Amino acid sequence: MADTVIVPISNNLYEAFPEAVGAVNFIVSGPQLIIAIASLLAAPVMMKVSKKKILVVSGFFCALGLALGVAVENVWYVLACRAVAGIATGFINVAAVALIAEVYIDEAKRGYMMGIYNAVMAGIGTVMAIVAGSLAVNGWTNAYKVFWTCIPMVICFILFLPELGVEAREAQQGESSSEVKKGFNIHFWMTMGTLFLFYIANMGISYFISV
């Protein structure tokens, strides 16, 4: 969701730091690569640490990197904050979906909750983009004020997310192991390829929009 705030001010970033175009390029699009790598690293971590703990710790660093992202108007500071937020976001994305799958064992209920999760995330991203664009009219750094909403998000993680122990997780895995098919078939790779092309086109178009 962080990119929904950055998109409206991407042109302003190039104007604010004309001497560091390469760094701004990374600020604008680099976190996507970081998120992809962090997402892959999240899987082995989840085998050792509960998903709630991952969400709380990652949420803290994400809020820190985003809310304080322009506390110092320096291109390398902004870049570092975006990188920290990107790593945290990668862990959050994976742990959130995995926690839903862990809590809702029933396939129909799990699918329903996944749909709710994706719909809510899309709605929040849309609202953040609208608010950020409106605030950025009076100064591009104002768009970052939207990220202060990450703080109550972390508080909600601490108060409301369930934490399943290792024993419960292993028991669930044992129950479902006979139904799980190992490996990825052609349909999986076709889906991944389609999503890859979709996001390339989607992000390419979105970054032409700025204040």
Side-chain angles (χ1 to χ4, degrees):
M1 292 188 299
D3 283 337
T4 61
V5 174
I6 298 300
V7 168
I9 62 172
S10 57
N11 188 57
N12 301 84
L13 288 167
Y14 286 101
E15 293 178 352
F17 309 112
E19 76 290 346
V21 174
V24 176
N25 286 340
F26 182 86
I27 292 171
V28 171
S29 57
Q32 292 298 323
L33 177 60
I34 293 177
I35 289 172
I37 296 173
S39 297
L40 295 174
L41 297 175
V45 175
M46 286 192 300
M47 301 300 293
K48 304 295 183 182
V49 183
S50 73
K51 296 170 181 64
K52 178 176 181 177
K53 289 179 180 176
I54 292 175
L55 285 167
V56 171
V57 174
S58 299
F60 171 78
F61 282 103
C62 184
L64 194 67
L66 294 176
L68 301 179
V70 288
V72 178
E73 198 168 325
N74 175 276
V75 66
W76 301 109
Y77 173 84
V78 176
L79 186 152
C81 288
R82 284 279 283 164
V84 170
I87 295 171
T89 301
F91 277 81
I92 291 172
N93 289 348
V94 175
V97 175
L99 182 61
I100 293 175
E102 193 172 81
V103 172
Y104 298 95
I105 303 175
D106 180 71
E107 186 174 348
K109 185 67 173 179
R110 181 190 303 158
Y112 174 76
M113 294 308 299
M114 289 286 189
I116 294 294
Y117 169 78
N118 288 314
V120 170
M121 292 293 288
I124 292 174
T126 301
V127 173
M128 288 177 68
I130 294 172
V131 175
S134 301
L135 294 174
V137 173
N138 296 318
W140 68 271
T141 57
N142 290 330
Y144 267 73
K145 293 179 180 179
V146 175
F147 289 134
W148 286 97
T149 57
C150 294
I151 295 175
M153 175 192 74
V154 177
I155 295 174
C156 288
F157 284 174
I158 297 171
L159 295 179
F160 302 115
L161 288 182
E163 182 168 7
L164 297 182
V166 177
E167 297 81 4
R169 183 165 64 246
E170 289 178 347
Q172 288 184 1
Q173 290 174 346
E175 293 175 0
S176 59
S177 60
S178 60
E179 301 176 3
V180 176
K181 296 181 180 179
K182 297 183 178 180
F184 303 113
N185 58 26
I186 186 63
H187 299 291
F188 170 83
W189 292 112
M190 289 176 63
T191 302
M192 293 299 295
T194 302
L195 288 172
F196 181 74
L197 294 174
F198 169 78
Y199 280 109
I200 287 178
N202 180 60
M203 296 306 295
I205 294 171
S206 66
Y207 280 110
F208 282 99
I209 305 170
S210 64
V211 174

